[in-house]
Amino acid sequence: AQSVAQPEDQVNVAEGNPLTVKCTYSVSGNPYLFWYVQYPNRGLQFLLKYITGDNLVKGSYGFEAEFNKSQTSFHLKKPSALVSDSALYFCAVRDGEVEAAGNKLTFGGGTRVLVKP
Amino acid sequence: NAGVTQTPKFQVLKTGQSMTLQCAQDMNHEYMSWYRQDPGMGLRLIHYSVGAGITDQGEVPNGYNVSRSTTEDFPLRLLSAAPSQTSVYFCASTYRANSGNTIYFGEGSWLTVV
């Protein structure tokens, strides 16, 4: 069975400082990894994904994530956080070797990011 | 192109009542699914569909029914609402059974069962 862990319920960071949201995963086959962001009372918005290729993936709104196979991690990063980045962030994984999985993503519990002015 | 559209956005039900959450997508996606979001538990898959006429159970299907009579629509039915079904529900869709495809989510339906 596949799983995702987001070890921090909340991350607090000052505006302008680097932001990191941690994610580790477990999957039998090749991991397909995703990050989504949820603003209050809104749906999930796609930020970025890793399927194959470069371990550093760049996404929307200045976010990037680094895939580390040996550490089974896919941490989300932003060099300089904005107050508007305050939201709930979800990491998700799918087994890339299971074509019939369709859209059966497994999500982490979410990390709330609070960026203070 | 409206993406994934869910209605209603907010609903209060009494225990034992039934209701249907509507979901429609205009992206010609084959795959549609329903998730529920509960604090600290992320999103959990309720039911999914790989195409019109085909549905299957996800992680937490009990108490819910779905149907997929058209490519565009994937309604979720609560048969007899229970307080444990108080949650935020998200409909999602993606193009095909290629697991690298991005999933797109609706805006959510906030359901309270009293």
Side-chain angles (χ1 to χ4, degrees):
Chain A
Q2 58 200 43
S3 64
V4 176
Q6 293 181 241
E8 300 158 315
D9 290 337
Q10 181 160 324
V11 170
N12 297 319
V13 63
E15 188 174 31
N17 282 1
L19 169 63
T20 298
V21 185
K22 296 179 180 177
C23 170
T24 58
Y25 66 89
S26 174
V27 68
S28 299
N30 290 328
Y32 287 3
L33 294 153
F34 302 78
W35 275 103
Y36 286 85
V37 60
Q38 183 182 27
Y39 298 100
N41 296 326
R42 302 294 299 276
L44 277 71
Q45 297 180 25
F46 170 74
L47 279 179
L48 52 79
K49 66 182 177 182
Y50 172 81
I51 305 301
T52 187
D54 290 340
N55 289 343
L56 185 63
V57 178
K58 294 187 182 297
S60 305
Y61 313 122
F63 284 94
E64 59 187 30
E66 185 167 10
F67 170 63
N68 187 318
K69 188 173 183 177
S70 62
Q71 297 185 4
T72 62
S73 67
F74 189 57
H75 301 330
L76 181 70
K77 299 179 181 181
K78 186 170 184 179
S80 178
L82 302 172
V83 172
S84 57
D85 293 328
S86 298
L88 187 58
Y89 291 80
F90 289 98
C91 182
V93 70
R94 182 192 287 147
D95 189 336
E97 294 182 354
V98 182
E99 282 297 322
N103 54 1
K104 290 168 66 175
L105 279 180
T106 298
F107 285 84
T111 299
R112 189 165 302 280
V113 170
L114 180 60
V115 182
K116 296 182 179 179
Chain B
N1 188 334
V4 181
T5 304
Q6 287 180 236
T7 57
K9 181 141 187 174
F10 300 100
Q11 183 72 49
V12 178
L13 282 180
K14 293 182 178 179
T15 298
Q17 285 185 318
S18 62
M19 78 158 297
T20 299
L21 300 178
Q22 301 291 345
C23 176
Q25 53 88 13
D26 61 358
M27 298 176 283
N28 200 30
H29 284 172
E30 293 183 355
Y31 289 82
M32 297 185 72
S33 57
W34 278 100
Y35 291 86
R36 60 177 288 172
Q37 181 184 22
D38 301 293
M41 301 184 74
L43 277 75
R44 293 180 293 169
L45 183 66
I46 304 172
H47 285 285
Y48 68 99
S49 168
V50 300
I54 306 169
T55 64
D56 207 345
Q57 296 182 350
E59 183 183 355
V60 287
N62 292 339
Y64 307 95
N65 274 356
V66 292
S67 60
R68 185 92 180 273
S69 57
T70 67
T71 300
E72 294 78 17
D73 300 301
F74 191 46
L76 178 72
R77 298 182 185 83
L78 281 70
L79 307 174
S80 177
S84 61
Q85 294 178 303
T86 294
S87 188
V88 184
Y89 292 85
F90 289 99
C91 181
S93 72
T94 190
Y95 183 49
R96 271 187 186 173
N98 178 329
S99 50
N101 283 332
T102 300
I103 291 179
Y104 296 91
F105 287 84
E107 289 286 292
S109 296
W110 274 252
L111 177 65
T112 301
V113 183
V114 297

CSV table of all heavy atoms in Angstrom, one decimal, chain A residues 19-71:
chain,number,residue,atom,x,y,z
A,19,LEU,N,10.9,29.0,2.5
A,19,LEU,CA,9.8,28.2,3.0
A,19,LEU,C,10.1,26.8,2.6
A,19,LEU,O,10.4,26.5,1.4
A,19,LEU,CB,8.5,28.7,2.5
A,19,LEU,CG,7.3,27.7,2.6
A,19,LEU,CD1,6.9,27.6,4.1
A,19,LEU,CD2,6.1,28.3,1.9
A,20,THR,N,10.0,25.8,3.5
A,20,THR,CA,10.1,24.4,3.2
A,20,THR,C,8.9,23.6,3.8
A,20,THR,O,8.7,23.8,5.0
A,20,THR,CB,11.4,23.8,3.7
A,20,THR,OG1,12.5,24.5,3.0
A,20,THR,CG2,11.5,22.3,3.3
A,21,VAL,N,8.2,22.8,3.0
A,21,VAL,CA,7.2,21.9,3.5
A,21,VAL,C,7.6,20.5,3.2
A,21,VAL,O,7.9,20.2,2.1
A,21,VAL,CB,5.8,22.3,2.9
A,21,VAL,CG1,4.7,21.4,3.5
A,21,VAL,CG2,5.5,23.7,3.0
A,22,LYS,N,7.7,19.7,4.3
A,22,LYS,CA,8.3,18.4,4.1
A,22,LYS,C,7.2,17.3,3.7
A,22,LYS,O,6.1,17.4,4.1
A,22,LYS,CB,9.0,17.9,5.4
A,22,LYS,CG,10.1,18.8,5.8
A,22,LYS,CD,10.8,18.4,7.1
A,22,LYS,CE,12.0,19.3,7.4
A,22,LYS,NZ,12.6,18.9,8.7
A,23,CYS,N,7.7,16.3,2.9
A,23,CYS,CA,6.9,15.2,2.5
A,23,CYS,C,7.8,14.0,2.3
A,23,CYS,O,8.8,14.1,1.6
A,23,CYS,CB,6.2,15.6,1.2
A,23,CYS,SG,5.3,14.2,0.4
A,24,THR,N,7.4,12.9,2.8
A,24,THR,CA,8.0,11.6,2.5
A,24,THR,C,6.9,10.6,2.1
A,24,THR,O,5.8,10.8,2.4
A,24,THR,CB,8.7,11.0,3.7
A,24,THR,OG1,7.8,10.9,4.8
A,24,THR,CG2,9.9,11.9,4.2
A,25,TYR,N,7.3,9.7,1.3
A,25,TYR,CA,6.3,8.8,0.7
A,25,TYR,C,6.8,7.3,0.8
A,25,TYR,O,8.0,7.0,1.0
A,25,TYR,CB,6.1,9.2,-0.8
A,25,TYR,CG,7.3,9.0,-1.6
A,25,TYR,CD1,7.6,7.8,-2.2
A,25,TYR,CD2,8.3,10.0,-1.7
A,25,TYR,CE1,8.7,7.5,-3.0
A,25,TYR,CE2,9.5,9.8,-2.5
A,25,TYR,CZ,9.7,8.6,-3.1
A,25,TYR,OH,10.8,8.3,-3.8
A,26,SER,N,5.8,6.5,0.5
A,26,SER,CA,6.1,5.0,0.4
A,26,SER,C,5.3,4.5,-0.7
A,26,SER,O,4.0,4.7,-0.7
A,26,SER,CB,5.8,4.3,1.7
A,26,SER,OG,6.0,2.9,1.5
A,27,VAL,N,5.9,3.8,-1.7
A,27,VAL,CA,5.1,3.3,-2.8
A,27,VAL,C,5.9,2.1,-3.4
A,27,VAL,O,7.1,2.1,-3.3
A,27,VAL,CB,4.9,4.3,-3.9
A,27,VAL,CG1,6.2,4.7,-4.6
A,27,VAL,CG2,3.9,3.9,-4.9
A,28,SER,N,5.2,1.1,-3.9
A,28,SER,CA,5.9,-0.1,-4.3
A,28,SER,C,6.7,0.1,-5.6
A,28,SER,O,7.8,-0.4,-5.8
A,28,SER,CB,4.9,-1.2,-4.6
A,28,SER,OG,4.2,-1.5,-3.4
A,29,GLY,N,6.1,0.8,-6.6
A,29,GLY,CA,6.7,1.0,-7.9
A,29,GLY,C,7.4,2.4,-8.0
A,29,GLY,O,7.9,2.9,-7.0
A,30,ASN,N,7.3,2.9,-9.2
A,30,ASN,CA,7.9,4.3,-9.4
A,30,ASN,C,6.9,5.3,-8.8
A,30,ASN,O,5.8,5.3,-9.1
A,30,ASN,CB,8.1,4.5,-10.8
A,30,ASN,CG,9.2,3.7,-11.4
A,30,ASN,OD1,10.2,3.4,-10.7
A,30,ASN,ND2,9.1,3.3,-12.7
A,31,PRO,N,7.5,6.2,-8.0
A,31,PRO,CA,6.6,7.3,-7.4
A,31,PRO,C,6.3,8.4,-8.4
A,31,PRO,O,7.2,8.9,-9.0
A,31,PRO,CB,7.4,7.8,-6.2
A,31,PRO,CG,8.8,7.6,-6.7
A,31,PRO,CD,8.8,6.4,-7.5
A,32,TYR,N,5.0,8.7,-8.6
A,32,TYR,CA,4.5,9.9,-9.2
A,32,TYR,C,4.1,10.8,-8.1
A,32,TYR,O,3.2,10.5,-7.3
A,32,TYR,CB,3.4,9.6,-10.2
A,32,TYR,CG,3.8,9.0,-11.5
A,32,TYR,CD1,5.1,8.5,-11.7
A,32,TYR,CD2,2.9,8.7,-12.5
A,32,TYR,CE1,5.5,7.9,-12.9
A,32,TYR,CE2,3.2,8.1,-13.7
A,32,TYR,CZ,4.5,7.7,-13.8
A,32,TYR,OH,4.9,7.0,-15.0
A,33,LEU,N,4.7,12.0,-8.0
A,33,LEU,CA,4.5,12.8,-6.8
A,33,LEU,C,3.9,14.2,-7.2
A,33,LEU,O,4.3,14.7,-8.2
A,33,LEU,CB,5.8,13.0,-6.1
A,33,LEU,CG,6.4,11.7,-5.5
A,33,LEU,CD1,7.9,11.8,-5.4
A,33,LEU,CD2,5.8,11.5,-4.1
A,34,PHE,N,3.0,14.6,-6.3
A,34,PHE,CA,2.3,15.9,-6.6
A,34,PHE,C,2.2,16.8,-5.4
A,34,PHE,O,2.2,16.3,-4.3
A,34,PHE,CB,0.8,15.6,-7.0
A,34,PHE,CG,0.7,14.7,-8.2
A,34,PHE,CD1,0.9,13.3,-8.1
A,34,PHE,CD2,0.4,15.2,-9.5
A,34,PHE,CE1,0.7,12.5,-9.2
A,34,PHE,CE2,0.2,14.4,-10.6
A,34,PHE,CZ,0.4,13.0,-10.5
A,35,TRP,N,2.2,18.1,-5.6
A,35,TRP,CA,1.9,19.0,-4.6
A,35,TRP,C,0.7,19.9,-5.0
A,35,TRP,O,0.6,20.3,-6.1
A,35,TRP,CB,3.0,20.0,-4.3
A,35,TRP,CG,4.1,19.5,-3.3
A,35,TRP,CD1,5.3,18.9,-3.6
A,35,TRP,CD2,3.9,19.4,-1.9
A,35,TRP,NE1,5.9,18.6,-2.5
A,35,TRP,CE2,5.1,18.8,-1.4
A,35,TRP,CE3,3.0,19.8,-1.0
A,35,TRP,CZ2,5.4,18.7,-0.1
A,35,TRP,CZ3,3.2,19.6,0.3
A,35,TRP,CH2,4.4,19.0,0.8
A,36,TYR,N,-0.3,20.0,-4.0
A,36,TYR,CA,-1.4,20.8,-4.2
A,36,TYR,C,-1.5,21.9,-3.1
A,36,TYR,O,-1.0,21.6,-2.0
A,36,TYR,CB,-2.7,20.0,-4.2
A,36,TYR,CG,-3.0,19.2,-5.4
A,36,TYR,CD1,-2.4,17.9,-5.6
A,36,TYR,CD2,-3.8,19.6,-6.4
A,36,TYR,CE1,-2.6,17.1,-6.7
A,36,TYR,CE2,-4.0,18.9,-7.6
A,36,TYR,CZ,-3.4,17.6,-7.7
A,36,TYR,OH,-3.6,16.9,-8.8
A,37,VAL,N,-2.1,23.0,-3.4
A,37,VAL,CA,-2.4,24.0,-2.4
A,37,VAL,C,-3.9,24.3,-2.3
A,37,VAL,O,-4.6,24.3,-3.3
A,37,VAL,CB,-1.6,25.3,-2.7
A,37,VAL,CG1,-2.0,25.9,-4.0
A,37,VAL,CG2,-1.8,26.4,-1.6
A,38,GLN,N,-4.3,24.5,-1.0
A,38,GLN,CA,-5.7,24.8,-0.8
A,38,GLN,C,-5.8,26.1,0.0
A,38,GLN,O,-5.4,26.2,1.1
A,38,GLN,CB,-6.4,23.7,0.0
A,38,GLN,CG,-7.9,23.9,0.2
A,38,GLN,CD,-8.5,22.8,1.0
A,38,GLN,OE1,-7.9,22.1,1.8
A,38,GLN,NE2,-9.8,22.6,0.7
A,39,TYR,N,-6.5,27.1,-0.6
A,39,TYR,CA,-6.7,28.4,0.1
A,39,TYR,C,-8.1,28.2,0.8
A,39,TYR,O,-8.9,27.4,0.4
A,39,TYR,CB,-6.7,29.5,-0.9
A,39,TYR,CG,-5.4,29.7,-1.5
A,39,TYR,CD1,-5.1,29.3,-2.8
A,39,TYR,CD2,-4.3,30.3,-0.9
A,39,TYR,CE1,-3.9,29.4,-3.4
A,39,TYR,CE2,-3.1,30.5,-1.4
A,39,TYR,CZ,-2.9,30.0,-2.7
A,39,TYR,OH,-1.6,30.1,-3.3
A,40,PRO,N,-8.3,29.0,1.8
A,40,PRO,CA,-9.5,28.9,2.7
A,40,PRO,C,-10.8,28.8,1.8
A,40,PRO,O,-11.0,29.7,0.9
A,40,PRO,CB,-9.5,30.2,3.5
A,40,PRO,CG,-8.1,30.5,3.7
A,40,PRO,CD,-7.5,30.1,2.3
A,41,ASN,N,-11.6,27.9,2.1
A,41,ASN,CA,-12.9,27.7,1.4
A,41,ASN,C,-12.8,27.5,-0.1
A,41,ASN,O,-13.7,27.8,-0.8
A,41,ASN,CB,-13.9,28.8,1.8
A,41,ASN,CG,-14.2,28.9,3.3
A,41,ASN,OD1,-14.3,27.8,3.9
A,41,ASN,ND2,-14.4,30.1,3.8
A,42,ARG,N,-11.7,27.0,-0.5
A,42,ARG,CA,-11.5,26.8,-1.9
A,42,ARG,C,-11.1,25.3,-2.2
A,42,ARG,O,-10.8,24.5,-1.3
A,42,ARG,CB,-10.4,27.7,-2.5
A,42,ARG,CG,-10.7,29.2,-2.3
A,42,ARG,CD,-11.9,29.6,-3.1
A,42,ARG,NE,-11.7,29.5,-4.5
A,42,ARG,CZ,-11.1,30.3,-5.3
A,42,ARG,NH1,-10.6,31.4,-4.8
A,42,ARG,NH2,-11.0,30.1,-6.6
A,43,GLY,N,-11.1,24.9,-3.5
A,43,GLY,CA,-10.6,23.6,-3.9
A,43,GLY,C,-9.1,23.5,-3.9
A,43,GLY,O,-8.4,24.5,-3.6
A,44,LEU,N,-8.6,22.4,-4.2
A,44,LEU,CA,-7.2,22.2,-4.3
A,44,LEU,C,-6.7,22.6,-5.7
A,44,LEU,O,-7.3,22.3,-6.7
A,44,LEU,CB,-6.8,20.7,-4.2
A,44,LEU,CG,-6.7,20.2,-2.8
A,44,LEU,CD1,-8.1,20.1,-2.1
A,44,LEU,CD2,-6.0,18.8,-2.7
A,45,GLN,N,-5.6,23.4,-5.7
A,45,GLN,CA,-5.0,23.8,-6.9
A,45,GLN,C,-3.6,23.1,-7.1
A,45,GLN,O,-2.8,23.0,-6.2
A,45,GLN,CB,-4.7,25.3,-6.8
A,45,GLN,CG,-6.0,26.2,-6.7
A,45,GLN,CD,-5.7,27.6,-6.7
A,45,GLN,OE1,-4.7,28.1,-7.1
A,45,GLN,NE2,-6.6,28.4,-6.1
A,46,PHE,N,-3.4,22.7,-8.3
A,46,PHE,CA,-2.2,21.9,-8.6
A,46,PHE,C,-1.0,22.9,-8.6
A,46,PHE,O,-1.1,24.0,-9.2
A,46,PHE,CB,-2.3,21.3,-10.0
A,46,PHE,CG,-1.1,20.8,-10.6
A,46,PHE,CD1,-0.5,19.6,-10.1
A,46,PHE,CD2,-0.4,21.4,-11.6
A,46,PHE,CE1,0.6,19.1,-10.6
A,46,PHE,CE2,0.7,20.9,-12.2
A,46,PHE,CZ,1.2,19.7,-11.7
A,47,LEU,N,0.1,22.5,-8.0
A,47,LEU,CA,1.3,23.3,-7.9
A,47,LEU,C,2.4,22.7,-8.8
A,47,LEU,O,3.0,23.5,-9.7
A,47,LEU,CB,1.9,23.4,-6.5
A,47,LEU,CG,1.3,24.4,-5.5
A,47,LEU,CD1,2.0,24.3,-4.2
A,47,LEU,CD2,1.4,25.8,-6.1
A,48,LEU,N,2.7,21.5,-8.7
A,48,LEU,CA,3.8,20.8,-9.5
A,48,LEU,C,3.7,19.3,-9.3
A,48,LEU,O,3.0,18.8,-8.4
A,48,LEU,CB,5.1,21.4,-9.1
A,48,LEU,CG,5.5,21.3,-7.6
A,48,LEU,CD1,6.0,20.0,-7.1
A,48,LEU,CD2,6.6,22.4,-7.3
A,49,LYS,N,4.4,18.6,-10.2
A,49,LYS,CA,4.5,17.2,-10.1
A,49,LYS,C,5.9,16.7,-10.5
A,49,LYS,O,6.5,17.3,-11.3
A,49,LYS,CB,3.4,16.5,-10.9
A,49,LYS,CG,3.5,16.7,-12.4
A,49,LYS,CD,2.3,16.1,-13.1
A,49,LYS,CE,2.4,16.4,-14.6
A,49,LYS,NZ,1.2,15.8,-15.3
A,50,TYR,N,6.2,15.5,-10.0
A,50,TYR,CA,7.4,14.8,-10.5
A,50,TYR,C,6.9,13.5,-11.1
A,50,TYR,O,6.3,12.7,-10.4
A,50,TYR,CB,8.4,14.5,-9.4
A,50,TYR,CG,9.5,13.6,-9.8
A,50,TYR,CD1,10.6,14.1,-10.5
A,50,TYR,CD2,9.4,12.2,-9.6
A,50,TYR,CE1,11.6,13.3,-10.9
A,50,TYR,CE2,10.4,11.4,-10.0
A,50,TYR,CZ,11.5,11.9,-10.7
A,50,TYR,OH,12.5,11.1,-11.1
A,51,ILE,N,7.3,13.3,-12.3
A,51,ILE,CA,7.0,12.0,-13.0
A,51,ILE,C,8.3,11.3,-13.3
A,51,ILE,O,8.5,10.1,-13.0
A,51,ILE,CB,6.1,12.2,-14.3
A,51,ILE,CG1,4.9,13.0,-13.9
A,51,ILE,CG2,5.8,10.9,-14.9
A,51,ILE,CD1,4.0,12.3,-12.9
A,52,THR,N,9.2,12.0,-14.0
A,52,THR,CA,10.5,11.4,-14.4
A,52,THR,C,11.4,12.6,-14.7
A,52,THR,O,10.9,13.8,-14.8
A,52,THR,CB,10.4,10.5,-15.5
A,52,THR,OG1,11.6,9.8,-15.8
A,52,THR,CG2,9.9,11.2,-16.8
A,53,GLY,N,12.7,12.3,-14.9
A,53,GLY,CA,13.6,13.4,-15.3
A,53,GLY,C,14.3,14.1,-14.2
A,53,GLY,O,14.6,13.5,-13.2
A,54,ASP,N,14.5,15.4,-14.3
A,54,ASP,CA,15.3,16.1,-13.3
A,54,ASP,C,14.6,16.0,-11.9
A,54,ASP,O,13.4,16.1,-11.8
A,54,ASP,CB,15.4,17.6,-13.7
A,54,ASP,CG,16.2,17.8,-14.9
A,54,ASP,OD1,17.1,16.9,-15.2
A,54,ASP,OD2,16.1,18.9,-15.5
A,55,ASN,N,15.5,15.9,-11.0
A,55,ASN,CA,15.0,15.8,-9.6
A,55,ASN,C,14.4,17.1,-9.1
A,55,ASN,O,13.6,17.0,-8.2
A,55,ASN,CB,16.1,15.3,-8.7
A,55,ASN,CG,16.4,13.8,-8.9
A,55,ASN,OD1,15.7,13.1,-9.6
A,55,ASN,ND2,17.6,13.4,-8.5
A,56,LEU,N,14.8,18.2,-9.6
A,56,LEU,CA,14.3,19.5,-9.2
A,56,LEU,C,13.2,19.9,-10.1
A,56,LEU,O,13.4,20.1,-11.3
A,56,LEU,CB,15.4,20.5,-9.1
A,56,LEU,CG,15.0,21.9,-8.6
A,56,LEU,CD1,14.5,21.8,-7.1
A,56,LEU,CD2,16.1,22.9,-8.8
A,57,VAL,N,12.0,20.0,-9.6
A,57,VAL,CA,10.8,20.4,-10.4
A,57,VAL,C,10.4,21.8,-10.0
A,57,VAL,O,10.2,22.1,-8.8
A,57,VAL,CB,9.7,19.4,-10.1
A,57,VAL,CG1,8.4,19.7,-10.9
A,57,VAL,CG2,10.1,17.9,-10.4
A,58,LYS,N,10.1,22.6,-11.0
A,58,LYS,CA,9.6,23.9,-10.8
A,58,LYS,C,8.1,24.0,-11.1
A,58,LYS,O,7.7,23.4,-12.1
A,58,LYS,CB,10.4,24.9,-11.7
A,58,LYS,CG,11.9,25.0,-11.3
A,58,LYS,CD,12.6,26.1,-12.0
A,58,LYS,CE,14.0,26.2,-11.6
A,58,LYS,NZ,14.2,26.5,-10.2
A,59,GLY,N,7.4,24.7,-10.3
A,59,GLY,CA,6.0,24.8,-10.5
A,59,GLY,C,5.4,26.2,-10.5
A,59,GLY,O,6.1,27.2,-10.7
A,60,SER,N,4.2,26.3,-10.1
A,60,SER,CA,3.5,27.6,-10.1
A,60,SER,C,3.9,28.4,-8.9
A,60,SER,O,4.3,27.9,-7.9
A,60,SER,CB,1.9,27.3,-10.0
A,60,SER,OG,1.5,26.5,-11.1
A,61,TYR,N,3.7,29.8,-9.0
A,61,TYR,CA,3.8,30.7,-8.0
A,61,TYR,C,5.2,30.7,-7.3
A,61,TYR,O,5.4,31.1,-6.2
A,61,TYR,CB,2.8,30.5,-6.9
A,61,TYR,CG,1.4,30.3,-7.4
A,61,TYR,CD1,0.7,29.2,-7.1
A,61,TYR,CD2,0.8,31.3,-8.2
A,61,TYR,CE1,-0.6,29.0,-7.6
A,61,TYR,CE2,-0.5,31.1,-8.6
A,61,TYR,CZ,-1.2,30.0,-8.4
A,61,TYR,OH,-2.5,29.8,-8.8
A,62,GLY,N,6.2,30.3,-8.1
A,62,GLY,CA,7.6,30.3,-7.6
A,62,GLY,C,8.0,29.1,-6.7
A,62,GLY,O,9.1,29.1,-6.2
A,63,PHE,N,7.1,28.2,-6.6
A,63,PHE,CA,7.4,27.0,-5.8
A,63,PHE,C,8.3,26.0,-6.6
A,63,PHE,O,8.2,25.9,-7.9
A,63,PHE,CB,6.2,26.3,-5.4
A,63,PHE,CG,5.5,27.0,-4.2
A,63,PHE,CD1,4.5,27.9,-4.4
A,63,PHE,CD2,5.9,26.7,-2.9
A,63,PHE,CE1,3.9,28.5,-3.4
A,63,PHE,CE2,5.3,27.3,-1.8
A,63,PHE,CZ,4.3,28.2,-2.1
A,64,GLU,N,9.1,25.2,-5.9
A,64,GLU,CA,9.8,24.1,-6.5
A,64,GLU,C,9.9,22.9,-5.5
A,64,GLU,O,9.6,23.1,-4.3
A,64,GLU,CB,11.2,24.5,-6.9
A,64,GLU,CG,12.0,25.0,-5.8
A,64,GLU,CD,13.4,25.6,-6.3
A,64,GLU,OE1,13.4,26.1,-7.4
A,64,GLU,OE2,14.3,25.6,-5.5
A,65,ALA,N,10.2,21.8,-6.0
A,65,ALA,CA,10.3,20.6,-5.1
A,65,ALA,C,11.4,19.7,-5.6
A,65,ALA,O,11.7,19.6,-6.8
A,65,ALA,CB,9.0,19.8,-5.1
A,66,GLU,N,12.1,19.1,-4.7
A,66,GLU,CA,13.2,18.2,-5.0
A,66,GLU,C,12.8,16.8,-4.7
A,66,GLU,O,12.5,16.4,-3.5
A,66,GLU,CB,14.4,18.6,-4.3
A,66,GLU,CG,15.7,17.8,-4.7
A,66,GLU,CD,17.0,18.4,-4.2
A,66,GLU,OE1,16.9,19.4,-3.4
A,66,GLU,OE2,18.0,18.0,-4.6
A,67,PHE,N,12.9,15.9,-5.7
A,67,PHE,CA,12.7,14.5,-5.5
A,67,PHE,C,14.0,13.9,-5.1
A,67,PHE,O,15.0,14.0,-5.7
A,67,PHE,CB,12.3,13.9,-6.8
A,67,PHE,CG,12.2,12.4,-6.9
A,67,PHE,CD1,11.4,11.7,-6.0
A,67,PHE,CD2,13.0,11.6,-7.7
A,67,PHE,CE1,11.3,10.3,-6.0
A,67,PHE,CE2,13.0,10.3,-7.7
A,67,PHE,CZ,12.1,9.6,-6.9
A,68,ASN,N,14.0,13.1,-4.0
A,68,ASN,CA,15.1,12.4,-3.4
A,68,ASN,C,14.8,11.0,-3.3
A,68,ASN,O,14.0,10.6,-2.3
A,68,ASN,CB,15.6,13.1,-2.1
A,68,ASN,CG,16.9,12.5,-1.6
A,68,ASN,OD1,17.1,11.3,-1.7
A,68,ASN,ND2,17.8,13.3,-1.2
A,69,LYS,N,15.2,10.1,-4.2
A,69,LYS,CA,14.8,8.7,-4.2
A,69,LYS,C,15.3,8.0,-3.0
A,69,LYS,O,14.6,7.2,-2.3
A,69,LYS,CB,15.2,8.0,-5.5
A,69,LYS,CG,14.7,6.6,-5.6
A,69,LYS,CD,15.0,6.1,-7.0
A,69,LYS,CE,14.4,4.7,-7.2
A,69,LYS,NZ,14.7,4.1,-8.5
A,70,SER,N,16.6,8.3,-2.6
A,70,SER,CA,17.2,7.5,-1.5
A,70,SER,C,16.5,7.8,-0.2
A,70,SER,O,16.4,7.0,0.7
A,70,SER,CB,18.7,7.8,-1.4
A,70,SER,OG,18.9,9.2,-1.2
A,71,GLN,N,16.1,9.1,0.0
A,71,GLN,CA,15.4,9.5,1.2
A,71,GLN,C,13.9,9.4,1.1
A,71,GLN,O,13.2,9.7,2.0
A,71,GLN,CB,15.8,10.9,1.6
A,71,GLN,CG,17.3,11.0,1.9
A,71,GLN,CD,17.6,12.4,2.4
A,71,GLN,OE1,16.8,13.3,2.6
A,71,GLN,NE2,18.9,12.6,2.6
